[in-house]
Amino acid sequence: RKQWVLTGNPTSVLKYNIRNFVGDIDAVFAGNPTTAKKIPKSSQELMDAVKNGKFTAELKGFYDRGGFQSLLAAQEISKVNVLEPFERFQKKTLGKTITKPLKTYTNITSGATNYREMISRYATYLDYIEQMKSNGGIPKNYGASKPEIIKGLKTIEDRAFKLQNDLLGAYDEVSEIGKTIRKHLIPFWSWNEVNFKR
């Protein structure tokens, strides 16, 4: 069901992305409005990484801290068995050949969904780094984070990552009971828990 909503049904994919885009923008403008000025840089660097495999030092730092794994879709759907490096271990069957166009379509929709969410996250990360570099390691605001936790982190990059993750939803920090609820009872429970914390 989750995969159908996130990557399958064109109508639900569109609605999901519009809803999440509005939610992300709302959080960003409420918690750290200066993120907006970093969106062009974020979009360009992410596209360069996707197309050409080129990572700037800042994007590499974001990636190494788990930036690509903290997305809502990445936390909601486990697809290890269909990740490219593992495909060679799977048997080629007629069914897989027939469904290849559908797989191509879902790869495009999931990639677009992740790219859309990543733009806001990475732009927020970049903006917080800039704020702290020009302000003695202190951000101009703490967004949805607890100041004492941010101050306890050693590097500006670690602080920026935590600030953006809290502001845009720390889906990789959902509680154990929350993970159980989303797996067995309420498919998209993560958003409810993350939004309540935020």
Side-chain angles (χ1 to χ4, degrees):
R1 170 159 160 64
K2 286 182 185 179
Q3 197 163 342
W4 176 245
V5 171
L6 292 173
T7 65
N9 183 335
T11 306
S12 62
V13 169
L14 185 62
K15 286 179 182 175
Y16 167 81
N17 274 287
I18 291 171
R19 203 168 44 244
N20 279 39
F21 173 74
V22 170
D24 287 351
I25 292 299
D26 185 47
V28 162
F29 282 105
N32 187 53
T34 54
T35 285
K37 67 184 180 181
K38 293 294 180 190
I39 286 176
K41 177 180 168 73
S42 171
S43 305
Q44 183 56 54
E45 288 188 16
L46 286 165
M47 186 55 71
D48 204 25
V50 170
K51 282 177 134 182
N52 308 312
K54 292 182 180 177
F55 281 66
T56 62
E58 287 168 324
L59 183 54
K60 178 74 165 56
F62 181 74
Y63 175 85
D64 288 345
R65 286 171 176 81
F68 288 27
Q69 288 78 42
S70 58
L71 304 175
L72 174 58
Q75 292 298 316
E76 289 288 349
I77 298 175
S78 176
K79 291 171 46 173
V80 170
N81 63 323
V82 293
L83 291 175
E84 208 170 301
F86 296 96
E87 284 184 339
R88 61 192 175 100
F89 297 112
Q90 297 179 359
K91 279 186 176 181
K92 301 292 180 193
T93 64
L94 179 61
K96 286 185 180 174
T97 304
I98 291 170
T99 58
K100 192 170 182 180
L102 179 60
K103 184 183 173 195
T104 301
Y105 164 75
T106 58
N107 284 344
I108 291 168
T109 57
S110 63
T113 294
N114 289 338
Y115 178 69
R116 188 259 321 144
E117 184 178 348
M118 191 65 67
I119 290 171
S120 302
R121 287 182 176 275
Y122 183 51
T124 305
Y125 174 79
L126 290 172
D127 189 56
Y128 274 123
I129 286 176
E130 185 176 276
Q131 287 180 30
M132 288 184 278
K133 279 185 175 176
S134 64
N135 197 34
I138 304 296
K140 292 178 181 175
N141 66 74
Y142 288 92
S145 301
K146 293 181 178 178
E148 59 271 21
I149 291 176
I150 300 304
K151 290 173 184 174
L153 297 172
K154 290 182 180 178
T155 69
I156 283 174
E157 292 76 15
D158 287 343
R159 291 174 192 168
F161 184 82
K162 178 67 174 161
L163 285 159
Q164 71 75 28
N165 205 29
D166 289 344
L167 184 59
L168 284 148
Y171 295 103
D172 54 339
E173 296 177 14
V174 172
S175 66
E176 287 305 314
I177 193 164
K179 290 175 187 174
T180 302
I181 291 170
R182 81 178 174 198
K183 187 174 182 181
H184 301 290
L185 298 171
I186 305 171
F188 292 96
W189 170 259
S190 300
W191 184 85
N192 293 292
E193 182 174 321
V194 162
N195 198 46
F196 177 75
K197 286 178 183 174
R198 179 167 59 191

